[in-house]
Amino acid sequence: MSLLSTVTFYVSLLLIGHAGFSSFEFHQLAKKINISDPQLPRDIKYESYLGLILFIISAFLAFTKLTYLPLRYDNQSTKQVLSQGQYLKETPFNKATNVDNMIGNDANGEVNFMTSFIDISAKRAQFKKSLSN
Amino acid sequence: MSNDVVRDRFLAIMQSKLYTQFNAEETAKLHGELSVFLQYNEVSIKETDYLSLCEMLFYLCVYLSKDVDAQIIYNSLRDRLGENSAKLQVMNATLLQINENDTIASKYLEKLIRDSYEYDSDSRSYLIVAKKLLSLKIGKLSNENEILKELISLVEKFPLDAELWCYMGEIYWKMGQLSRSIYCFEEVLVIMPFNYVIFSRIAELYYYKARRLDKGKQKMEESLNKGLKNALRSGELSESYLKGWSLVATISKLLGDKKDVLNVATKRLVEISKISNEKDKITAEYILDQLSLKK
């Protein structure tokens, strides 16, 4: 939630709350002076409408752009946050895979990397060697 | 940076099993980051996410020879889930493999298959255990023909497993039998028709076949055309897949009479060199330079 949306959200809550309180007060008053069919004053109506509109605007302002981290960090840019400047994910397959390509992901990696057939002993020996250097 | 972005990164690495492709430094770094993340977020993330990240941490520990840590993770998962899950049995076999030796691990898995999986209707678990057993056997075999023999007998039992076909394709590729390798990868596509990585792998193999094996212009062009079709399908499925478009550009340039296709590929490569990640940007620019295509 950005600062603007938070501010708008609280202002809208204040307006709706105030409109509700005013309406309650008006009806109490109407009872006391015996008005049979009380009409809510316009300012209270407008205040509640404005509160609702601001509430909706704050909800829209709260949307943030989708961000991703690259799966493999290269040496120059550690933890550089990537974004396509979009609020929602793409639905067509050929465009949805763009995110995978950007962050270096392969959705079918479980098959394509043939992970069941990794030679664990060789990998351990190789890692030990390269980390001790 | 929000916690969700970090969690999504870990989960993406777990689901795609990309950690198996990391080098030693990357693995050590990922292990450090993931241990800290799990320590502070055990409660705040979903249980399924937590358990799958624990599985990844287990294998990272195994790769980095942190055997005690791996044993602790296995024990905590076993206490929580019981011993009857195929994934845990594979983890146990991995521990036996590193603490004892391959023979003891193989015997453990063979006993499991003999006693229960051979008669159970749980073919998915059987496959997971059988693949681990096969990988242990492969470690001892030196000859590719022997590996293929073992592999084919398992494929006959499980003809719908894409990973087995994929591995068989790689073995045939190592042996230089490109037509057979292509056949295996095409079988993968029958099982996973939207796997654009495999489409471009087939295109690559057709390209090698045309350059190395095919004699005569007609045969060569036939292979290149088949390769181009596969590369184009890969590009159709993924708009910014660098390997697919690079192959489209390379093959269409070689064929000479595919100007339109070459233009589309150049356009895509230029796009990738602008919007993708750093590594892909540099690679795309390099390919454009190598093929002397105008930007």
Side-chain angles (χ1 to χ4, degrees), chain A residues 4-20:
Chain A
L4 190 63
S5 85
T6 319
V7 170
T8 331
F9 175 70
Y10 283 112
V11 170
S12 73
L13 274 193
L14 207 71
L15 284 175
I16 293 169
H18 186 257

Side-chain angles (χ1 to χ4, degrees), chain A residues 70-73 93-95 97-98 101-102 105-106 108-109 112-116 118 123-124 127 130, chain B residues 9 16 20-22 24 26-27 62 67 135 163 167 170 192 195 197 236-241 277:
Chain A
L71 302 192
R72 299 180 87 150
Y73 299 136
F93 186 81
N94 64 341
K95 289 198 192 305
T97 47
N98 285 353
N101 291 330
M102 185 178 69
N105 189 17
D106 178 0
N108 298 310
N112 299 347
F113 298 142
M114 297 161 287
T115 48
S116 303
I118 288 171
K123 204 175 174 94
R124 277 159 65 90
F127 276 22
S130 70
Chain B
R9 173 175 177 259
S16 64
T20 54
Q21 310 298 306
F22 281 11
E26 280 176 306
T27 309
V62 169
D67 299 352
S135 82
E163 195 183 3
Y167 190 61
E170 285 300 326
M192 307 172 95
N195 194 335
V197 176
E236 189 186 359
L237 287 171
S238 181
E239 221 177 38
S240 62
Y241 185 51
N277 56 38

Side-chain angles (χ1 to χ4, degrees), chain B residues 128-272:
Chain B
I128 294 172
V129 174
K131 277 201 274 194
K132 176 69 188 170
L133 183 61
L134 182 63
S135 82
L136 286 169
K137 271 187 200 164
I138 286 173
K140 285 180 209 152
L141 303 172
S142 52
N143 191 323
E144 263 119 7
N145 281 323
E146 287 171 22
I147 297 176
L148 274 175
K149 214 172 142 193
E150 294 282 343
L151 207 54
I152 288 167
S153 68
L154 195 59
V155 166
E156 272 171 13
K157 226 171 199 169
F158 298 100
L160 288 180
D161 184 59
E163 195 183 3
L164 287 173
W165 283 109
C166 208
Y167 190 61
M168 196 141 82
E170 285 300 326
I171 300 274
Y172 276 124
W173 151 245
K174 271 186 202 160
M175 292 166 78
Q177 300 192 15
L178 295 183
S179 301
R180 288 184 177 186
S181 177
I182 290 168
Y183 177 84
C184 292
F185 284 113
E186 280 171 349
E187 284 293 325
V188 178
L189 288 182
V190 173
I191 302 159
M192 307 172 95
F194 299 115
N195 194 335
Y196 54 90
V197 176
I198 298 295
F199 270 111
S200 66
R201 181 83 179 113
I202 294 176
E204 190 188 353
L205 290 172
Y206 270 121
Y207 174 74
Y208 291 142
K209 189 168 170 272
R211 303 292 317 249
R212 288 187 195 168
L213 300 180
D214 290 342
K215 289 187 178 79
K217 204 182 169 204
Q218 201 189 349
K219 232 178 170 184
M220 201 172 122
E221 273 183 6
E222 200 182 309
S223 291
L224 284 177
N225 274 316
K226 279 182 184 167
L228 184 63
K229 273 185 191 160
N230 280 289
L232 279 170
R233 178 70 180 142
S234 154
E236 189 186 359
L237 287 171
S238 181
E239 221 177 38
S240 62
Y241 185 51
L242 178 61
K243 188 176 172 185
W245 286 113
S246 313
L247 280 161
V248 172
T250 315
I251 298 174
S252 57
K253 191 149 197 242
L254 212 62
L255 279 168
D257 58 343
K258 308 269 182 194
K259 283 268 163 12
D260 295 349
V261 180
L262 186 60
N263 286 341
V264 175
T266 314
K267 214 174 114 192
R268 287 271 178 251
L269 285 172
V270 171
E271 240 170 61
I272 293 168

